[in-house]
Amino acid sequence: MFLCPVCNKRCAKLLASSVFACRACVGVNYASQQRAKRDAANDQAWKLRRKLACDFGALDAPAHYIPKPKWMRWPTYHKIVSRIEEYDQRSLEGMVQQLKMMGIHL
């Protein structure tokens, strides 16, 4: 642990700018904070798809077509697939809403 010389708070890392300081003092945020809130469901779906070793998105491979990894137990697999389906549904609803805002109605 370090002590930030600017705000005197404990931090795990000091970042180099004009001075060494914590993330808050330098004004840097995390990559996930840069993303739009509407993309959160899609990000979560991709994270779970990677757990199942799937490189395809919702439009290429619906969740129920993803094969179970050899090492994974069936209850865990079914739980992950159902969560992927929820996130995919939310993501698609967000895309439809975005298209409607652009004047494109499906």
Side-chain angles (χ1 to χ4, degrees), residues 25-105:
C25 293
V26 173
V28 177
N29 54 12
Y30 296 99
S32 61
Q33 293 171 326
Q34 296 286 347
R35 304 278 310 206
K37 296 292 182 199
R38 67 178 180 269
D39 295 334
N42 193 32
D43 293 342
Q44 288 295 322
W46 272 108
K47 184 177 174 182
L48 292 172
R49 284 174 183 278
R50 282 192 292 273
K51 267 189 173 181
L52 298 179
C54 178
D55 295 329
F56 299 106
L59 300 177
D60 298 324
H64 57 276
Y65 287 124
I66 300 172
K68 182 185 86 64
K70 184 183 271 188
W71 47 265
M72 187 175 286
R73 294 176 183 263
W74 281 105
T76 304
Y77 169 75
H78 289 303
K79 184 171 137 183
I80 290 173
V81 166
S82 66
R83 287 177 57 202
I84 290 172
E85 287 173 342
E86 287 175 27
Y87 288 131
D88 284 347
Q89 183 64 34
R90 275 195 237 162
S91 180
L92 291 173
E93 288 170 0
M95 283 188 241
V96 169
Q97 186 179 19
Q98 215 38 39
L99 289 172
K100 285 181 182 177
M101 287 173 46
M102 293 169 41
I104 302 169
H105 298 283

Side-chain angles (χ1 to χ4, degrees), residues 4 6-15 17 20-30 33:
C4 175
V6 177
C7 65
N8 292 323
K9 291 183 181 177
R10 291 181 353 175
C11 59
K13 295 180 182 179
L14 291 176
L15 304 175
S17 61
F20 284 100
C22 68
R23 179 178 293 277
C25 293
V26 173
V28 177
N29 54 12
Y30 296 99
Q33 293 171 326

